[in-house]
Amino acid sequence: MRRPMIAGNWKMNKTPAETVALLTELKKIQIRNKAEVVVCPMTVSLFAAGPILKGSDIRLGAQNVHFEDKGAFTGEANVASLKELGVQYVILGHSERRQYFGETDETVNKKTLKCLEKGLKPIVCVGESLAEKQKGITNEVVCLQTKAALCGVSRMQLEDVVIAYEPIWAIGTGMTATAQDANATIGAIRRAIREVYGDMAEKIRILYGGSMNDKNASELMSQPEIDGGLIGGASLIPEKFEKVINY
Ligand code: PGA
C-alpha cells in the first residue's frame, strides 16, 4: 500500500545557520510509524542541510525549481544543482508561488516533467480558493490543476509523483478542512487520475495540507484517502512536528 509521507514546508524561514540548528533537533525524533519524513528548507539553506541529513531518515526537499536545465534565468535554481545538494523532492505549484510569483498550471507541468526526467520527485500542490469553495467548484478546480500538472507524465513516472491537496483558505489560517471534506476531495483527485492512468492511481500518494498540526494530524491521517501531510507552521516547531510525524 501507499507509504505515508509527512513533509515540512519551511517557506521563507530559517537561515542556513538556523537550518542546522533545527535539523539537529529534528534528527533526534524517533519515527515510530512508517511515515517517510521530508523537510523543505529555503533554497539557500539546502547547502547547509544536505550534510546534516546524510545517513538520517529525514529526506531533503526544495520549494521550487526551474524547468530548464541551465542558462539565462537570473535568480533561478536548476534540477542538477538541487540533486547535487542531496535534494530528492521538490514542492511545485504551491499556492503562494501561484499567487505571488506567476506560477501557472503550464509552468507547474513543465517543472513536473523536468523533475521526473532528471530524477527529482515532485510534490505538486493543488487547491481551491475560498471563493471557489463557496461556488461549489472545488472538485473541478483541483482535478483540472492535477490533470494539467500531469500532462505528458508516463505511467512509469507517475509512481514518483506526490500530490498535495491544500485548500488555499486553510493555509496559515488555522482553519483546516474537515477530515471528511479533505478525504472526499482527495478521493475526487484520485478518481481524476484514474481516468487517465487507470489502477496506477492507487499507487500515487495524495497529501493534505493547510493548518495541519499536532492536534488534528491523527484525525486527518485516519482517513483512507489521505496519505500524509504537507505541514507549514507546525513543521518549524520540533515538538509539534514530532507529534505530526508520529500521528
Ligand atoms: P500551514 O502551511 O501548515 O502553515 O497552513 C501549509 C503549506 O502552505 O504547505
Side-chain angles (χ1 to χ4, degrees):
M1 275 317 282
R2 303 183 292 264
R3 184 179 180 194
M5 170 181 281
I6 302 294
N9 174 12
W10 291 8
K11 309 194 180 189
M12 200 172 71
N13 297 294
K14 305 297 169 187
T15 66
E18 290 167 347
T19 294
V20 170
L22 179 53
L23 288 178
T24 305
E25 289 305 306
L26 295 183
K27 272 188 5 173
K28 294 178 190 159
I29 295 174
Q30 290 266 338
I31 304 173
R32 289 195 300 273
N33 58 28
K34 291 193 186 64
E36 181 176 25
V37 178
V38 182
V39 292
C40 306
M42 278 195 279
T43 307
V44 288
S45 296
L46 291 170
F47 194 71
I52 306 243
L53 292 183
K54 230 181 198 141
S56 91
D57 287 332
I58 302 177
R59 312 232 158 126
L60 191 57
Q63 299 173 16
N64 182 34
V65 72
H66 198 265
F67 52 77
E68 292 291 351
D69 287 323
K70 62 177 179 174
F73 300 98
T74 302
E76 291 292 311
N78 62 6
V79 169
S81 305
L82 297 185
K83 284 184 72 178
E84 222 174 280
L85 298 181
V87 170
Q88 296 182 45
Y89 287 95
V90 188
I91 298 171
L92 295 179
H94 190 280
S95 62
E96 287 151 17
R97 292 213 58 85
R98 294 179 193 253
Q99 185 178 351
Y100 304 125
F101 303 102
E103 193 82 88
T104 62
D105 284 347
E106 190 186 349
T107 55
V108 172
N109 176 237
K110 284 182 175 178
K111 291 175 180 191
T112 301
L113 293 173
K114 178 57 69 179
C115 286
L116 292 169
E117 176 200 332
K118 299 284 177 182
L120 275 186
K121 297 178 183 175
I123 301 174
V124 176
C125 300
V126 300
E128 85 285 6
S129 67
L130 187 56
E132 289 162 340
K133 174 182 159 66
Q134 286 166 344
K135 284 187 198 136
I137 55 170
T138 294
N139 286 1
E140 285 80 357
V141 169
V142 297
C143 291
L144 183 63
Q145 287 175 340
T146 303
K147 283 184 174 175
L150 296 180
C151 207
V153 171
S154 72
R155 287 172 63 84
M156 277 258 289
Q157 289 173 323
L158 188 71
E159 262 189 90
D160 284 337
V161 176
V162 178
I163 305 283
Y165 166 54
E166 299 205 307
I168 298 169
W169 49 270
I171 295 175
T173 58
M175 291 194 293
T176 33
T178 64
Q180 292 72 21
D181 283 354
N183 188 64
T185 305
I186 289 176
I189 294 170
R190 200 179 303 285
R191 282 196 298 281
I193 298 171
R194 194 178 295 126
E195 283 171 24
V196 182
Y197 294 94
D199 287 348
M200 289 292 292
E202 299 308 318
K203 295 201 171 159
I204 190 167
R205 289 179 290 184
I206 310 181
L207 319 181
Y208 170 78
S211 297
M212 188 164 166
N213 57 37
D214 48 316
K215 303 277 189 311
N216 55 30
S218 67
E219 196 194 350
L220 287 160
M221 291 302 294
S222 69
Q223 299 293 319
E225 292 287 359
I226 301 180
D227 300 320
L230 182 55
I231 326 295
S235 72
L236 297 167
I237 302 160
E239 307 76 53
K240 291 191 178 182
F241 198 46
E242 173 165 16
K243 288 198 178 126
V244 177
I245 288 171
N246 293 317
Y247 54 85

